[in-house]
Amino acid sequence: MTPARTYAETRRGGVVASARRVARIWWGTLTSGRFFSGWSAAVSLLIAVTVLGAYRSVDSTVEFLPAIAISVLVWALLVVLVLPVAWAERRMRRRRWRALLVLAAVVGVGAARPLLNDAAGFLLLHEPSTGSWVERITTNVVIWLIVLSLVATATVAYEATRDASARLRVALSDLSEADRRADAYARRSRILLHGQIARLRTELAQLVATSPGFDDVSGFSQSVRAVSHDLEDEAALPMSEIRAGTGPVAVPAPARRPLLARLRPPSPVVVSIAYAVGSLPYTLTTVSTALALFAVVLVFACGFVADAVARRSSRRRSATARGGAILFAWFATGVLFSSAAILLAPQTLPTALVPILAFPLLAAIIGVSSDAIHSAIVQTRRLSRALAAQTDAVAARTTRARLELRAAAEQLHGRVQGRCVLFAATVDERAATVEELDAFAATITLALAEIEGTAPTQAATAPIAPSDALAQMIETWSHVLEISSDIDDEARIALGREDVTRRVVDIASEGFLNAVKHSGARQATLEVTHQAPDAPELRVEVSSPGRLGSALPLTAGRGIANLGGAHLFQRGRDVVLEARVPLPVA
């Protein structure tokens, strides 16, 4: 395959992937139950009196204000008609029915608006109908679909980001208490370990200072046994019993950004297409076809100039200053286009002044929608990563402390107590020689130093057992969610392998993270089951009450994609993350 063909296929795949992503976002917005909002009404009013104003029959400046009045009147009537639709879409359970209702409403509004404009113009101003209704209806339907979808995408994405971020901040707040408990537990375990080892050293010194008999060595052995049991009990202590001072620490919400700061550089192609589609039918009825085509080319040329100027002038500026530069660049472009229209077709006044407002307005709508998508991705991903990282850190720190206590208990119970038993048998038959007593004391002293971590040659730290990793991950997330787990017996056997357990831990952790993002119930269920012998794999499922947000393509983290084969879906009233973990063939 040639490099040119490879590049072409890569580009084609990228375009297809982008188109699918845009389609998913649009469908999610359409079925969100929040398509129509106050912002829809506000922006539609601006569009109704600029790009789609009732100016077809306007021949003089005197007629301009009545035309605006008709546009506002028709807009108010359509808003009243859409209110029941907005009420109904928020109460429908089936997403497809919501989509059909919203689409029917938008198409209906787009089709009825030119008819209502003509009717109002005839009744109030005695103006006859002008232009082709087919072209005008098509133009209205397309423009309203584009504009209202962009506005809805922005509002739904901002709302979804706000909800998910609020839940993630609450989870981070709860986890801050777990972090302090982990620190307190680590300090407590080290203090306990050092204190008990110091106690055994003292007893050992007292033992070897005399000529110990069987009862003396047995008494020391019992002390070693008691210390090992104390350490085992401490290793099994639930984190909920650890006191860590005050309760959760609130994680501050990000500062509210002004509207200008939410304006990202819009795509000049999208702005130009939106304006050309909205203005072309009027242009074709007022100027020659050649001049209308020249106007379309000029729209795109002005769009690319505005984009270049906006990007260049907004470099190294604050977000608010950048938004102002973008608006000014598109406003200047509108002035430039209107000037060209007046020079080439002066008979189009005062309609030729519409681009002065239409260009910056369309640029602002598209720019804010772009910012909504960008913010949804960045903010949710940032908080998700912070929560996952802190969860891993707390789990690792707690697991390490428990592992040190268990390893110390095993050393005391096995190596130290075993040496005590052998020495007790020796002194039971006869008095120990000085060499035997010194060797016993040196062996015990070295073992205690290794347990405490102060031996000259320290043994490597034992790795974390797979079962410990999964159990500690569940315990850590229990500070954030109420978790119930169901792991069948065959799955527990498979979880003895570190690679399998690591994969299950990753899936479960991602599932708990999504439970926080998509649900306010703060409950989750983990199920790990072994599949049939002909398909050696584990099925891992994390479910939680809630609903997948309409902005799922915006907020689903990369974690799910990195899991490979995992998918997130709605099952009844639960959000479910399911994944399969292949088992190695024996």
Side-chain angles (χ1 to χ4, degrees):
M1 183 179 293
T2 65
R5 184 178 176 185
T6 303
Y7 176 77
E9 291 195 2
T10 303
R11 291 285 295 172
R12 192 182 307 120
V15 170
V16 171
S18 297
R20 287 178 177 173
R21 182 169 176 270
V22 170
R24 287 198 304 269
I25 293 173
W26 179 74
W27 179 255
T29 301
L30 200 64
T31 59
S32 65
R34 301 184 300 275
F35 187 90
F36 295 109
S37 65
W39 283 106
S40 302
V43 173
S44 64
L45 174 61
L46 294 176
I47 294 294
V49 298
T50 55
V51 179
L52 295 178
Y55 310 128
R56 286 181 172 270
S57 59
V58 173
D59 297 322
S60 64
T61 307
V62 176
E63 297 176 348
F64 197 67
L65 289 179
I68 292 180
I70 288 176
S71 298
V72 173
L73 179 64
V74 172
W75 166 85
L77 176 61
L78 291 174
V79 167
V80 172
L81 294 177
V82 169
L83 285 177
V85 177
W87 179 87
E89 70 159 333
R90 283 160 171 74
R91 285 156 180 80
M92 280 187 172
R93 290 185 175 272
R94 294 185 179 274
R95 296 168 66 88
R96 291 184 180 179
W97 285 112
R98 279 192 220 140
L100 289 174
L101 177 66
V102 170
L103 282 175
V106 174
V107 172
V109 166
R113 186 174 176 276
L115 305 178
L116 292 174
N117 278 342
D118 286 353
F122 181 77
L123 293 174
L124 300 178
L125 304 178
H126 305 292
E127 292 288 346
S129 176
T130 59
S132 169
W133 279 356
V134 174
E135 292 176 353
R136 294 169 61 192
I137 289 173
T138 302
T139 299
N140 271 267
V141 170
V142 172
I143 287 294
W144 288 124
L145 271 177
I146 293 174
V147 171
L148 292 180
S149 294
L150 287 170
V151 173
T153 297
T155 55
V156 170
Y158 279 134
E159 185 175 344
T161 304
R162 244 185 342 260
D163 292 345
S165 298
R167 286 193 285 265
L168 289 170
R169 283 196 300 272
V170 171
L172 279 170
S173 175
D174 291 341
L175 203 57
S176 66
E177 184 177 10
D179 187 65
R180 293 197 303 276
R181 286 181 176 178
D183 284 340
Y185 179 70
R187 290 194 301 270
R188 168 179 167 147
S189 64
R190 294 299 296 172
I191 291 172
L192 175 65
L193 182 61
H194 287 299
Q196 296 287 46
I197 295 300
R199 170 190 159 194
L200 291 179
R201 283 200 182 99
T202 301
E203 292 188 16
L204 177 64
Q206 294 173 351
L207 180 68
V208 299
T210 60
S211 180
F214 176 81
D215 292 338
D216 298 323
V217 177
S218 295
F220 179 72
S221 177
Q222 290 300 318
S223 295
V224 171
R225 182 172 180 273
V227 169
S228 70
H229 288 174
D230 289 343
L231 297 181
E232 287 176 347
D233 292 341
E234 184 69 16
L237 186 69
M239 291 295 292
S240 57
E241 297 185 15
I242 304 296
R243 293 187 178 182
T246 59
V249 177
V251 178
R256 190 175 182 85
R257 295 182 299 158
L259 187 59
L260 280 179
R262 302 186 185 196
L263 188 58
R264 293 177 63 82
S267 167
V269 175
V270 177
V271 176
S272 301
I273 289 176
Y275 182 82
V277 171
S279 62
L280 188 58
Y282 170 79
T283 306
L284 288 172
T285 61
T286 54
V287 299
S288 64
T289 303
L291 190 55
L293 294 178
F294 176 76
V296 172
V297 174
L298 185 60
V299 166
F300 280 88
C302 288
F304 283 108
V305 170
D307 182 64
V309 172
R311 291 180 183 274
R312 185 175 183 83
S313 60
S314 61
R315 289 177 183 172
R316 294 184 294 274
R317 293 194 179 191
S318 66
T320 303
R322 181 194 67 187
I326 292 171
L327 274 184
F328 180 79
W330 284 96
F331 173 78
T333 300
V335 172
L336 176 64
F337 188 85
S338 291
S339 300
I342 293 171
L343 288 174
L344 296 174
Q347 73 275 15
T348 59
L349 275 171
T351 309
L353 299 175
V354 169
I356 297 176
L357 293 178
F359 271 105
L361 177 59
L362 288 173
I365 295 172
I366 296 169
V368 170
S369 298
S370 175
D371 177 78
I373 297 173
H374 178 78
S375 298
I377 295 172
V378 171
Q379 291 185 30
T380 307
R381 184 180 297 164
R382 176 175 56 82
L383 289 172
S384 298
R385 286 177 176 173
L387 182 60
Q390 191 167 357
T391 303
D392 291 344
V394 170
R397 199 157 64 249
T398 306
T399 301
R400 183 60 57 193
R402 294 189 191 280
L403 187 63
E404 289 179 356
L405 292 174
R406 291 187 184 124
E410 289 175 1
Q411 282 272 62
L412 291 173
H413 186 71
R415 179 180 175 185
V416 176
Q417 199 172 4
R419 186 68 180 86
C420 290
V421 171
L422 292 176
F423 190 63
T426 299
V427 298
D428 188 33
E429 296 178 355
R430 57 177 174 79
T433 65
V434 175
E435 291 79 7
E436 289 174 332
L437 187 59
D438 289 343
F440 170 75
T443 301
I444 301 300
T445 300
L446 178 61
L448 295 179
E450 289 181 355
I451 291 171
E452 197 176 27
T454 58
T457 304
Q458 189 66 33
T461 304
I464 298 174
S467 57
D468 291 337
L470 180 59
Q472 189 56 57
M473 186 274 296
I474 293 175
E475 182 182 19
T476 301
W477 274 101
S478 295
H479 291 87
V480 178
L481 297 165
E482 182 182 334
I483 298 174
S484 59
S485 59
D486 183 10
I487 305 174
D488 66 27
D489 294 337
E490 292 188 9
R492 290 186 184 278
I493 296 174
L495 289 172
R497 291 182 57 96
E498 182 178 358
D499 54 344
V500 174
T501 301
R502 184 69 261 169
R503 180 107 168 105
V504 172
V505 166
D506 290 341
I507 295 168
S509 186
E510 182 67 25
F512 295 151
L513 179 60
N514 277 283
V516 172
K517 287 195 290 186
H518 295 295
S519 172
R522 308 193 70 179
Q523 298 174 352
T525 300
L526 170 65
E527 293 183 11
V528 184
T529 56
H530 188 277
Q531 298 301 98
D534 57 340
E537 61 182 10
L538 296 181
R539 184 180 68 85
V540 184
E541 179 181 292
V542 180
S543 59
S544 59
R547 296 207 65 82
L548 283 176
S550 60
L552 175 61
L554 311 179
T555 58
R558 291 184 178 179
I560 294 179
N562 292 337
L563 291 176
H567 60 287
L568 192 67
F569 60 94
Q570 188 76 43
R571 185 175 63 197
R573 297 185 176 181
D574 291 340
V575 176
V576 180
L577 174 66
E578 184 184 64
R580 308 280 173 151
V581 179
L583 298 178
V585 180

